[in-house]
Amino acid sequence: MYEKWFVGVDIGGTTIKMAFINQNGEVVHKWEISTNKNEKGHHIPTDIAKSIDQTLDKLDQTKSKVIGIGIGAPGPVNLKNGSIDIAVNLGWENFPLKNRLEMESSLPVIVDNDANIAAIGEMWKGAGEGAKDLVCVTLGTGVGGGIIANGEIVHGTNGAGGEIGHMTSIAEGGAPCNCGKTGCLETIASATGIVRLTMEELSSANTPGMLRDFYNEHQTVSAELVFDAAHEHDGVAIKVIDKVALYLGLALANTANALNPEKIVIGGGVSKAGDTLLTPLKEQFTRFAFPRVAQGVELVIATLGNDAGVIGGAWLAKTRLTNNHL
Ligand SMILES: [Zn+2]
């Protein structure tokens, strides 16, 4: 028995992450290419296929080494034909991703949503290892969500299952969201949301501190800086983080109350804050979760970082394209 590979692909707005992954979920080789958004993202499948060929060449391998591709895209997926209804970041509308990539690469392709494959990655090899009921929330520029129930991704009726980022957190007077609603969790718990809350807080009071000093000097702040400042007991930063923990805790508790998961995995750039976020978040979560739900669940920080998507993509390819005993 010799090793076969899967290609995991994670398409983002600026880069496309790719990896060859073996049947045990180990990353054999990973690389990335930039996302070509010219002509409404039309070249993306060709770029991916070419890059796979070039990388196989570089590694002295042929295509027979590869079983198939599992790919995540930023948008709701039509699971019947593997097309993407809309991906604003890439310029795609009704884009036949599966068909185009199969044609270009001569490999079978499984398509899913990027937040879903990240959740699957964490379930297979990351912080969710072993859990069959798992909620994964990715706090980055936006807030992505992936739900796994009984080992399966919850896609819903038209591919929009698990959109935790668009749970309404503030019913009246919330900030506008990219989705067209107002008051979504994404407007609060994303890196963008944290910066917005900080600006609001800085302009509404005169509390002195390191965040205000930094802002006065540079006219800008970052989510990372807000967490660093909170760690140093900066008053404004603590107020912002408390607000983030409150609404994120509420949304996650309500999600958990419906699903009774074993693990909730917090990923994305904002999760690098670690305990500065996790400690107040656990407090709020416990306040709002049904007691038996709270007893059954563990809130953890994701461990795979940027590799979660490609590993999840490979898992999809492995489970859909093989009978698991290669
Ligand atoms: Zn929204």
Side-chain angles (χ1 to χ4, degrees), residues 35-78:
T35 309
N36 180 356
K37 286 184 273 194
N38 293 337
E39 294 170 69
K40 292 190 160 186
H42 184 80
H43 302 288
I44 291 172
T46 322
D47 291 354
I48 293 170
K50 267 192 194 156
S51 181
I52 292 171
D53 287 346
Q54 284 164 358
T55 312
L56 281 170
D57 267 357
K58 205 176 87 184
L59 300 174
D60 271 331
Q61 298 288 343
T62 60
K63 207 167 253 175
S64 62
K65 184 85 179 165
V66 178
I67 290 174
I69 302 172
I71 183 166
V77 175
N78 181 329

Side-chain angles (χ1 to χ4, degrees), residues 166 177 179 181 184:
H166 301 286
C177 181
C179 74
K181 301 196 295 138
C184 291

